[in-house]
Amino acid sequence: MPSRIGSGTLQEICHFARELIAGGATLIQLREKHASAKEILRLGRELRRIVPNNVSLIINDRVDLAIAVQADGVHVGQDDVPPENARRIIGPQRTLGISTHMPSQVQAANQTSADYLAIGPVFTTTSKTNPDPAIGLEGIREARLRTQKLLVAIGGVTLQNCRSVIDAGADSVAVISELLAEPRKTTAQFLLQLR
Ligand code: TZP
Ligand code: MG
């Protein structure tokens, strides 16, 4: 039987990624909080093989693994490698994303070479352990005032509320749970809502 890597087997995770891509996803982030470096490397390399050039493959947390996988970029949180160190390692071409959870973090991240800032959780989320407090739509408006970088709203984003998130000033959304049941169909529905 194929062994699990965090959220599923390699085959299941790759199938999920293919479904997201078929639905029109433009960026896929590999975020496995309970997998070893070796497992993330294996999975990341397989994703690198199947993710087409017009879709960005981003590795969460680990700059070293992003390079090893030849990913398109890395996403760092407040407790990961600081953005400027990450930038030095990944070089000018790869994408650098930073997680922010409050206005002061948005302001600081805005001064870095990050290509995009994630802001959230916007709404209640069950996909993250110990999430920061939900910032609501007002939190997005405040973030928008502090940066002109690409702003990606995350946390509890659904088909129902995604339009309001964009209207509050986000440029795009990042989604986990709402996509789990029917990734292809739901990704396509998000894109319809947001065009
Ligand atoms: N960072 C802030 S909220 C979150 C992360 C990684 C989880 C988002 O998942 P969901 O299921 O879309 O709320
Ligand atoms: Mg992180």
Side-chain angles (χ1 to χ4, degrees):
M1 207 176 92
S3 57
R4 285 182 76 84
I5 301 176
S7 57
T9 65
L10 184 117
Q11 289 74 17
E12 286 165 348
I13 295 167
C14 287
H15 176 71
F16 186 72
R18 281 201 196 89
E19 289 292 294
L20 294 173
I21 292 162
T26 53
L27 184 151
I28 290 182
Q29 183 186 126
L30 174 54
R31 179 179 182 273
E32 282 294 353
K33 291 289 185 180
H34 304 292
S36 68
K38 192 174 165 182
E39 289 171 328
I40 293 171
L41 193 57
R42 184 156 158 259
L43 183 52
R45 285 190 169 142
E46 195 54 30
L47 288 171
R48 177 71 292 172
R49 220 175 53 75
I50 66 170
V51 173
N53 285 338
N54 62 343
V55 177
S56 288
L57 173 63
I58 305 290
I59 306 295
N60 192 42
D61 294 339
R62 295 284 298 261
V63 183
D64 54 343
L65 298 180
I67 298 288
V69 160
Q70 295 187 291
D72 299 300
V74 68
H75 183 100
V76 292
Q78 294 292 321
D79 297 327
D80 296 320
V81 171
E84 291 323 321
N85 296 79
R87 172 59 77 199
R88 228 171 289 141
I89 299 166
I90 65 173
Q93 302 298 333
R94 285 192 169 90
T95 299
L96 177 61
I98 306 184
S99 293
T100 66
H101 314 291
M102 59 189 77
S104 59
Q105 293 174 351
V106 175
Q107 211 147 337
N110 185 50
Q111 302 301 316
T112 72
S113 64
D115 298 292
Y116 73 85
L117 310 187
I119 176 78
V122 181
F123 305 112
T124 305
T125 180
T126 53
S127 304
K128 194 175 183 184
T129 319
N130 295 324
D132 285 80
I135 57 166
L137 296 175
E138 193 47 40
I140 298 177
R141 289 186 200 103
E142 285 191 28
R144 183 75 286 169
L145 294 174
R146 287 167 172 81
T147 188
Q148 292 196 30
K149 289 184 189 283
L150 277 174
L151 203 50
V152 182
I154 185 164
V157 176
T158 62
L159 285 170
Q160 281 283 329
N161 64 29
C162 66
R163 191 65 244 173
S164 67
V165 160
I166 298 295
D167 291 343
D171 296 299
S172 60
V173 296
V175 182
I176 302 177
S177 28
E178 183 84 333
L179 295 174
L180 292 179
E182 296 181 288
R184 182 194 296 233
K185 183 176 156 199
T186 314
T187 301
Q189 286 173 333
F190 268 106
L191 291 172
L192 276 177
Q193 294 278 336
L194 299 179
R195 70 178 176 179

